Amino acid sequence: MMKDQLILGIETSCDETAVAIIKNGREIAANVVASQIDSHKRFGGVVPEIASRHHVEQMTIVMEEALNRADVTMADIDAIAVTEGPGLVGALLIGVNAAKALAFANQKPLVPVHHIAGHIYANRLVTEFTFPLLALVVSGGHTELVYMKEHGHFEVIGETRDDAAGEAYDKVARTLNMPYPGGPHIDRLAHEGTPAIDLPRAWLEEGSYDFSFSGLKSAVINTVHNAEQRGETIAPEDLAASFQASVVEVLVTKAKRAVEQYGVKQLLVAGGVAANKGLREALELTFSDQSDVELVIPPLALCTDNAAMIAAAGSVMFEKGIRADLTLNANPGLDIEIFN
């Protein structure tokens, strides 16, 4: 009888301290996340120095909790997977150094993982991948379309040129005096309103799969300021609905066109904004009649940053023979295509 493969994953790229243990690449044995939202929301966003200090405080506690929940010891672990980048450099350093210490002390292989690859592989904890596939990555710092012809191969066919979708959500939420993180508040408010306000859609050049949400964000801010100067009141729910309609239309339209052009068998949705109800509904409606393309959207707990996704991606990298030594460093600008 073959021994189960156990990968321990560590994720500290932003403001969640997370450790998880994944069995055979697809089964969650433990997934522990310590959130810092309460510490950052009074500042309206993540403060890097505070995030790093919290990671230091929480790392050992979260790691011990993950081992306890999985009912394993470090002797049972086959490899340590850790987010190398991208992310906040100080936050990344805490996870990378914890992983190196753990790997050295226990003589375990060290596997570097790209944060976005992790978000993509969160979907493998839902269903097995069928290649070729396309991943729509939508998060606070990234909006990308990634083509995969096989495990561990990533080809970015479209990416944001300025604000990512999640970043635009947070900035619009701030304009409407909503707390951080703003995305869930905008999504909730949008379902109470009507998209009656004409806002731009940035399609860019013909055939382009790139994204741009900076102009949309500015249009929302200008709409609010112009109304204030005229002494008019705009229903915030209608503004939220109009903003969300613009974002969702661009994301879904470009994803659908890419799915058709590349002839993929699956469309995976990944990243924090994958939790957005409006986006999920639009994608499900668009792909409901496409029986030759499987739409895969992870549960809400696997959309936001977590270590299960890092361990899931790390399992594939481990099997492909990707290793790091103890010179591994945080890389806040890490390119996902470097792993191909």
Side-chain angles (χ1 to χ4, degrees):
M1 185 174 177
M2 291 185 63
K3 175 190 177 295
D4 290 327
Q5 180 201 77
L6 294 176
I7 304 294
L8 185 147
I10 298 174
E11 154 62 24
T12 61
S13 65
C14 191
D15 61 338
E16 277 94 8
T17 311
V19 177
I21 296 167
I22 296 297
K23 184 186 298 183
N24 300 324
R26 296 200 51 213
E27 182 182 339
I28 300 175
N31 188 26
V32 182
V33 180
S35 176
Q36 303 177 14
I37 286 178
D38 288 342
S39 296
H40 296 285
K41 65 182 180 183
R42 67 179 181 271
F43 301 107
V46 177
V47 181
E49 176 65 17
I50 292 175
S52 300
R53 289 177 181 271
H54 277 308
H55 288 315
V56 172
E57 294 167 359
Q58 295 293 325
M59 178 55 67
T60 302
I61 299 169
V62 172
M63 191 175 299
E64 290 177 350
E65 178 64 19
L67 290 167
N68 288 336
R69 288 190 191 180
D71 193 23
V72 297
T73 67
M74 282 305 304
D76 301 310
I77 300 298
D78 292 291
I80 314 296
V82 63
T83 305
E84 178 186 359
L88 302 174
V89 65
L92 288 166
L93 278 168
I94 307 304
V96 167
N97 283 307
K100 290 198 293 186
L102 206 59
F104 176 76
N106 295 278
Q107 293 300 292
K108 302 292 183 181
L110 183 62
V111 181
V113 175
H114 192 283
H115 181 72
I116 296 305
H119 275 302
I120 293 171
Y121 271 90
N123 287 279
R124 197 174 181 228
L125 299 170
V126 177
T127 188
E128 186 55 89
F129 287 2
T130 305
F131 298 103
L133 62 79
L134 192 73
L136 172 63
V137 180
V138 200
S139 69
H142 301 267
T143 305
E144 298 172 347
L145 280 167
V146 182
Y147 174 76
M148 295 180 64
K149 64 180 181 181
E150 61 186 23
H151 278 302
H153 178 93
F154 308 96
E155 179 186 346
V156 178
I157 64 168
E159 59 190 337
T160 185
R161 296 183 182 179
D162 40 58
D163 288 356
E167 186 179 2
Y169 266 92
D170 285 339
K171 290 177 179 177
V172 168
R174 198 174 304 138
T175 301
L176 296 177
N177 298 313
M178 293 178 176
Y180 171 85
H185 297 288
I186 293 288
D187 186 26
R188 193 159 41 247
L189 192 62
H191 281 80
E192 300 173 8
T194 303
I197 301 169
D198 185 27
L199 292 174
R201 273 79 165 151
W203 299 111
L204 305 176
E205 304 85 9
E206 184 177 353
S208 173
Y209 290 120
D210 282 353
F211 301 94
S212 172
F213 296 107
S214 179
L216 171 62
K217 170 208 68 184
S218 298
V220 172
I221 295 172
N222 290 338
T223 298
V224 171
H225 289 170
N226 290 341
E228 289 174 350
Q229 290 170 358
R230 293 192 299 267
E232 299 173 357
T233 301
I234 296 178
E237 61 270 22
D238 289 348
L239 188 59
S242 302
F243 166 75
Q244 179 148 295
S246 179
V247 173
V248 168
E249 183 181 346
V250 171
L251 290 174
V252 173
T253 301
K254 293 206 173 197
K256 184 174 185 293
R257 182 158 52 84
V259 162
E260 292 168 351
Q261 180 177 338
Y262 282 81
V264 298
K265 298 176 181 177
Q266 281 181 327
L267 173 64
L268 313 179
V269 189
V273 185
N276 182 282
K277 186 179 178 183
L279 177 60
R280 293 167 86 99
E281 289 173 348
L283 285 166
E284 286 165 358
L285 180 63
T286 300
F287 290 93
S288 61
D289 60 346
Q290 298 207 13
S291 57
D292 54 337
V293 179
E294 180 186 13
L295 174 67
V296 185
I297 307 177
L300 300 184
L302 294 177
C303 292
T304 51
D305 289 353
N306 63 89
M309 68 185 198
I310 300 303
S315 176
V316 171
M317 302 305 174
F318 177 64
E319 291 170 359
K320 288 173 70 72
I322 294 174
R323 304 285 188 273
D325 59 26
L326 296 181
T327 63
L328 180 68
N329 201 359
N331 188 343
L334 186 64
D335 183 354
I336 194 171
E337 294 180 341
I338 197 172
F339 290 98
N340 291 346

